[in-house]
Amino acid sequence: MKKLLLIITILTQLLFSATPEQIERYISISNSEEQLITLESQFSQMQNNINSIAKEETSTYDMQLLSIRFREYLQKNMSENEIDEIMVQYKNVVLLQFVSVQNDAEYDEKEAEAYMKELQTEENASVRMNLLDEISEKLYKKENIGILFDSLMKPLMQNSKNASQIDDETMKKSKEAYIKRMIASGKVETAYSAREFTIEELEELLKIVKTPAIDHESKVIFSATAYALREFFLSMASRYDVSKH
């Protein structure tokens, strides 16, 4: 009986998992591809820096695996119906505009921080900030960011040099600090990306990110990113000295 149930479960997953064509269509219209390219570049540089500091013969992780693993996770963890529901939301011009700005390679953290200070002096600043905070809270949920820490930073720290220095309390504080930084960074990026939006457009964007489809998309993207990067982080662990970070 148990074997039969297992077979039925596997068949169900195969029948209703998103198709490769659906995944590619989704990736082409969302900002997933651009984020992956950015990650590949950033982590390639990180790998080179750590190798340089380690001053030893080390193997290099193939960054192209990030894209392969990312797509693999999406296809296994999103159904055809879920992808279709997400794609319906991407027909909305406001969401497409928001995604387009997020894909802008010219994003500058200092410029974004300066904009946040200017924003507080604008007319209707409180209304705008409240909307932006709500949008950001939906896009950067604490539990989703926690997935990144548990899948990437925690294994890296546990398998690094001088890992014995890390007790449970230290790990807990590290996770809390990581989540806090990510949420703060997410708020700035959200506000800057939507800087040209009217109040009405922000209200429309808030409605979109509140939908179950986009909520599910956000969680899956965080999980897929963690899955794609996990092996890379583990490959660096032996060269990473936690006492110096």
Side-chain angles (χ1 to χ4, degrees):
M1 184 64 180
K2 289 183 178 179
K3 185 180 289 185
L4 178 60
L5 288 173
L6 177 61
I7 293 172
I8 291 173
T9 301
I10 293 173
L11 284 174
T12 302
Q13 290 175 338
L14 290 174
L15 286 171
F16 298 104
S17 291
T19 65
E21 291 76 19
Q22 282 182 308
I23 296 300
E24 290 307 317
R25 198 181 317 127
Y26 162 72
I27 286 177
S28 69
I29 201 168
S30 68
N31 67 344
S32 303
E33 190 73 58
E34 287 73 12
Q35 288 179 339
L36 275 176
I37 292 172
T38 301
L39 284 175
E40 287 178 12
S41 175
Q42 290 176 343
F43 287 112
S44 178
Q45 184 61 50
M46 180 190 293
Q47 181 171 243
N48 292 337
N49 290 342
I50 290 180
N51 284 346
S52 176
I53 293 171
K55 295 179 180 178
E56 58 188 38
E57 194 72 24
T58 53
S59 58
T60 301
Y61 187 83
D62 184 359
M63 290 300 165
Q64 292 183 347
L65 290 174
L66 301 185
S67 181
I68 294 171
R69 290 170 64 82
F70 185 83
R71 285 171 163 80
E72 176 187 318
Y73 188 94
L74 290 184
Q75 190 174 346
K76 286 183 178 179
N77 291 276
M78 297 184 85
S79 69
E80 292 184 24
N81 288 341
E82 286 168 343
I83 283 284
D84 287 341
E85 289 171 4
I86 290 169
M87 293 303 287
V88 167
Q89 299 302 323
Y90 273 90
K91 291 179 181 179
N92 192 303
V93 174
V94 172
L95 180 58
L96 288 175
Q97 289 176 336
F98 183 70
V99 169
S100 176
V101 177
Q102 283 189 314
N103 291 344
D104 187 357
E106 299 301 317
Y107 176 76
D108 184 281
E109 288 186 18
K110 290 183 179 180
E111 189 175 313
E113 291 286 356
Y115 168 73
M116 292 297 289
K117 293 179 180 178
E118 293 177 13
L119 177 58
Q120 296 175 30
T121 65
E122 290 183 7
E123 187 178 355
N124 295 324
S126 61
V127 176
R128 190 175 190 86
M129 286 299 298
N130 287 336
L131 285 167
L132 289 168
D133 283 346
E134 283 194 72
I135 292 168
S136 180
E137 284 172 9
K138 290 296 179 183
L139 296 177
Y140 297 92
K141 285 188 172 182
K142 180 179 178 180
E143 56 266 35
N144 292 342
I145 296 172
I147 292 172
L148 289 182
F149 184 89
D150 291 339
S151 298
L152 304 177
M153 300 307 299
K154 187 175 181 179
L156 173 66
M157 295 167 70
Q158 289 176 328
N159 292 278
S160 66
K161 295 177 181 178
N162 296 308
S164 59
Q165 298 178 8
I166 306 173
D167 55 22
D168 291 342
E169 185 62 25
T170 301
M171 187 66 75
K172 180 182 177 182
K173 289 181 179 179
S174 294
K175 182 175 181 177
E176 290 172 350
Y178 177 83
I179 290 174
K180 185 177 180 179
R181 285 197 307 272
M182 288 286 285
I183 289 175
S185 177
K187 284 185 177 182
V188 174
E189 184 173 342
T190 297
Y192 188 71
S193 296
R195 63 191 182 280
E196 301 295 336
F197 282 33
T198 64
I199 295 297
E200 290 73 21
E201 288 172 330
L202 288 177
E203 290 172 340
E204 178 66 18
L205 182 59
L206 179 58
K207 289 179 183 177
I208 296 169
V209 299
K210 280 184 173 181
T211 60
I214 298 302
D215 182 66
H216 180 64
E217 176 204 21
S218 181
K219 183 175 182 179
V220 172
I221 291 300
F222 272 98
S223 298
T225 302
Y227 176 77
L229 290 170
R230 183 177 171 83
E231 293 302 320
F232 166 68
F233 270 69
L234 287 174
S235 74
M236 292 195 304
S238 63
R239 290 164 279 155
Y240 182 86
D241 191 339
V242 71
S243 66
K244 296 180 180 179
H245 295 83

